Structures are given as C-alpha cells and as structure tokens.
C-alpha cells in the first residue's frame, strides 16, 4: 500500500492489516462492508483480502482520499469497491470544516470547528448511507469524534456488526459537538452502551483508555443474527474469578459457533462489558427468583449451571421451585474438593 512519509500511515496499516485490531473474521466471503473514516484504505484492504463482496468507503480528508484512490486500484477485482470523498455524521450537517489537529503526538483530521450555514462542507447522514447500501455485514467507524453522533442517531436494523474506534472531542464550536465536548471517554461509553442496547445491539468494549482519549468496541445485532440454538448460561460473569473467566471462554466460543448466548451473571452488577453476548445482572452472589425473568426473555433450548457442586445443587432447587422445565446441564470443576457424586 502507498503510505505518506512522516505520518501515522504505516502504523495504521500495521495495526489494521497485520495486527487485526478490529478482529475481522478470517473468512468474509460474500460480506458487505461500510467503512466510515476510510483513511488511506487499510481497513478496506483487510476486508478485501478476506473475500468481502462489496466495500463502500467514505473519507472526508482530500489528502487521505487521494491516497485511498491510489490504494483502491490494488484491491482485487473480485471485490466491488466504492469510494466517496465525503464526511458522514449522525444527521446531515452543513457548515463543517476540516481541522488538522494532534492528539498525543498523532495527527488526525475532524470535521468540526465552525457554525452551521457558514460556507463549510456538507456531510452525509448515516441513515442515508445505510439506506443506499442496504444490508450491511460490518459497519466500521473511525472518524475523529463524529462516531458518537452516528451511533446515537443511526438506524442499524439492517446492520449485523459494528466495529469502531471512539474518540473524545476536546474542542469545537459546531452544534453537533455540544453534547459530548469535554466529556470523559468512560462516561460517554456507558451512555452509548445503554443507547445501543435500545437499538437491539449488544456492545462489547475491548479497551478504554482515558490517557489517549480513545476506546474500541464491537456492537453485535441481536435481531439480525441467526442462531441455531439458544442457551442460558448461569454462573459468575463480569467479576474477577476463575469461574467467570472459564465461562467467558466457553460462552464466547459458543457464540462464535452460532449459538444465541445469554448469561445470567452471578455477581454481575450491570456495568458495560466486553462480551459479544447478553449478560443479565443478578447483583448478588447467587441466583434467586429473578432467574425466571431471564428464562422468560431468552426461552432457552438448554440451561447450563456453572459453579461448584454445591452451587449447582442450589440452583437446581431454584429451577425446580420456579417450575422451570428445560434441559439443564451442570458444569462442575473436576478438581473440586469433596465432589459429591449424588449431585
């Protein structure tokens, strides 16, 4: 790929293509991708290498777009590639201007910084973009602060997965930045997680860094995703324990294999989490009658009780008392001391 000297271009290509920071699947055959903030085309190249059928790129910066245009000629003819030199925001905006800024020594470009109707550029609304493309397998966002408005305003009913880099917005005079300017990445991430949940998306936060003002997350649609079976996993979740870690690994693997995974999280208090599946909070050290609510919401094909043998015995008693009749599996550590064979 063509990169510019003395810029972050090379590092971007390394992290996106070689390091796969967006956790792209190995096989993307037949997928449709929308790339907002395409930069010089590293993400598009990574998707094309994996067999994506169509990629639609939007890049506001004319300098980066010029390099994107050059790099687009290296994309396989098997992938339909469209590139557009436009900014994308939550709603259609006018009076936007490019600003070249630095964050922690790294140059970036955003499209804030002036008042509406003052002769600046006009953006595309995210819903117009999604309406044009249709069904989207992966929507990628990395647009120096405009992501927040896109995610809060977008209709993602036809989007299966969103991968994004979210950035804090330190300054700016445009009306579209007034609600997020100066807020911490943690506070905005919590609010976003709740908002995305209302849109039918489960948010998985992978990293949050207050120092760099950036976080990365994945949002998976719970509506558009097809699953073969529904499982309700009951056990530790969202806490620091060996049981929780084991449950995370198993549930993530089941999710990757197409299961519709829900977890009734023992000890989980409802904070944002990084898992791609739903976790219902118990806020207690054991399950209680509220498990009925989770069972009614999930309608599981199977329930898994994960814990030591005594916890599993207690949980079985709860299920029986609540007349929850569902195939149930107990998952108990084989090295647990004093395992009772009658449980």
């Amino acid at each position: 790929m063509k990169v510019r000297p003395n810029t972050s271009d090379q590092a971007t290509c390394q992290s996106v293509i070689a390091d796969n920071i967006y956790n792209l699947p190995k096989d993307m055959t037949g997928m449709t991708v929308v790339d907002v903030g395409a930069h010089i085309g590293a993400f598009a190249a990574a998707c094309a290498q994996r067999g994506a059928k169509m990629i639609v790129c939007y890049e506001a910066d004319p300098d980066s777009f010029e390099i994107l245009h050059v790099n687009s000629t290296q994309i396989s003819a098997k992938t339909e590639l469209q590139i557009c030199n436009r900014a994308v925001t939550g709603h259609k905006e006018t009076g936007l201007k490019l600003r070249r800024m630095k964050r922690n020594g790294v140059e970036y470009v955003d499209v804030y910084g002036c008042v509406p109707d003052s002769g600046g550029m006009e953006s595309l609304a995210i819903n117009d973009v999604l309406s044009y493309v249709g069904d989207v397998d992966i929507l990628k966002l990395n647009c120096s602060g405009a992501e927040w408005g896109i995610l809060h305003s977008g209709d993602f009913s036809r989007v299966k997965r969103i991968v994004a880099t979210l950035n804090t917005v330190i300054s700016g005079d445009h009306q579209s930045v007034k609600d997020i300017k100066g807020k911490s990445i943690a506070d905005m991430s919590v609010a976003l997680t709740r908002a995305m949940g209302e849109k039918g998306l489960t948010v998985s936060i992978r990293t949050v860094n207050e120092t760099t003002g950036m976080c990365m997350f994945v949002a998976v649609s719970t509506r558009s995703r097809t699953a073969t079976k529904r499982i309700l996993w009951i056990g530790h979740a969202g806490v620091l324990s060996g049981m929780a870690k084991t449950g995370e690994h198993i549930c993530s693997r089941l999710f990757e294999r197409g299961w519709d995974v829900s977890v009734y999280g023992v000890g989980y208090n409802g904070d944002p989490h990084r898992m791609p599946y739903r976790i219902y909070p118990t806020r207690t050290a054991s399950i209680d009658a509220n498990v009925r609510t989770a069972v009614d919401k999930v309608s599981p094909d199977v329930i898994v009780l994960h814990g030591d043998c005594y916890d599993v015995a207690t949980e079985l008693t709860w299920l029986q008392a609540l007349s929850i009749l569902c195939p149930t599996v107990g998952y108990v550590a084989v090295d647990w001391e004093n395992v009772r064979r009658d449980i």
Side-chain angles (χ1 to χ4, degrees):
M1 294 188 67
K2 180 178 179 180
V3 298
R4 294 163 291 192
N6 303 317
T7 68
S8 61
D9 289 0
Q10 186 64 50
T12 298
C13 292
Q14 172 68 33
S15 62
V16 174
I17 299 176
D19 299 339
N20 192 22
I21 61 168
Y22 288 104
N23 283 346
L24 292 173
K26 292 181 180 179
D27 185 5
M28 295 178 60
T29 302
M31 288 190 179
T32 297
V33 178
V34 174
D35 184 359
V36 177
H39 193 232
I40 64 170
F43 186 81
C47 293
Q49 290 172 3
R50 291 165 167 79
K53 179 182 179 181
M54 182 172 75
I55 307 170
V56 183
C57 298
Y58 296 88
E59 174 52 50
D61 179 16
D63 292 345
S64 293
F65 184 81
E66 182 179 347
I67 308 300
L68 170 63
H69 185 270
V70 172
N71 289 331
S72 68
T73 62
Q74 302 176 24
I75 299 293
S76 170
K78 295 180 180 180
T79 298
E80 178 186 347
L81 180 66
Q82 301 178 29
I83 60 175
C84 180
N85 186 199
R86 294 286 295 276
V88 177
T89 50
H91 299 285
K92 185 177 180 179
E93 302 275 8
T94 58
L96 296 173
K97 290 184 179 179
L98 291 174
R99 298 187 301 174
R100 301 190 182 278
M101 307 178 71
K102 279 190 175 183
R103 180 186 286 116
N104 300 304
V106 178
E107 292 186 356
Y108 70 98
V109 174
D110 72 14
V111 291
Y112 297 123
C114 71
V115 296
D117 304 318
S118 61
M121 70 167 63
E122 182 178 85
S123 68
L124 296 171
I126 182 61
N127 287 338
D128 290 339
V129 168
L130 296 176
S131 178
Y132 164 73
V133 177
D135 292 330
V136 176
D137 293 289
I138 297 179
L139 168 63
K140 173 258 187 179
L141 305 172
N142 188 354
C143 31
S144 302
E147 309 90 82
W148 299 100
I150 289 173
L151 290 168
H152 281 287
S153 303
D155 175 3
F156 304 115
S157 57
R158 299 178 69 181
V159 178
K160 291 184 179 179
R161 187 178 184 89
I162 303 172
V163 294
T165 302
L166 302 179
N167 303 276
T168 52
V169 178
I170 306 303
S171 60
D173 301 322
H174 195 276
Q175 61 179 2
S176 58
V177 78
K178 68 181 187 304
D179 293 331
I180 60 175
K181 182 172 62 176
K183 290 187 177 180
S184 73
I185 196 76
D187 289 343
M188 290 195 295
S189 296
V190 170
L192 180 62
T193 298
R194 293 170 180 161
M196 297 298 276
E198 295 175 358
K199 295 175 183 284
L201 293 135
T202 298
V203 172
S204 168
I205 298 177
R206 293 202 283 117
T207 60
V208 176
N209 193 319
E210 288 283 354
T211 301
T212 60
M214 181 182 74
C215 76
M216 297 189 67
F217 86 107
V218 175
V220 179
S221 173
T222 59
R223 293 182 300 224
S224 61
R225 191 173 170 274
T226 57
T228 56
K229 294 290 185 179
R230 295 183 298 275
I231 182 172
L232 178 62
W233 185 278
I234 299 177
H236 287 194
V239 294
L240 296 176
S241 72
M243 289 289 189
K245 182 62 66 177
T246 301
E248 288 177 5
H249 286 306
I250 296 174
C251 290
S252 295
R253 186 61 174 156
L254 289 170
F255 182 88
E256 291 171 1
R257 292 195 171 195
W259 282 72
D260 186 342
V261 178
S262 298
V263 174
Y264 189 64
V266 175
Y268 176 58
N269 64 6
D271 288 340
H273 60 86
R274 61 183 181 84
M275 296 297 105
Y277 44 78
R278 297 174 295 274
I279 305 180
Y280 297 101
T282 64
R283 297 184 174 88
T284 60
S286 62
I287 74 169
D288 53 26
N290 290 324
V291 71
R292 162 59 72 182
T293 302
V295 171
D296 290 343
K297 287 182 178 180
V298 176
S299 296
D301 295 294
V302 63
I303 294 174
V304 175
L305 305 177
H306 180 214
D308 63 52
C309 60
Y310 301 100
D311 287 337
V312 170
T314 301
E315 290 161 357
L316 276 172
T317 301
W318 268 111
L319 297 184
Q320 292 170 352
L322 295 170
S323 299
I324 296 175
L325 304 177
C326 178
T328 303
V329 176
Y331 189 96
V332 180
V334 296
D335 60 349
W336 181 256
E337 291 185 11
N338 304 316
V339 169
R340 290 172 50 187
R341 294 183 178 274
D342 59 322
I343 297 178

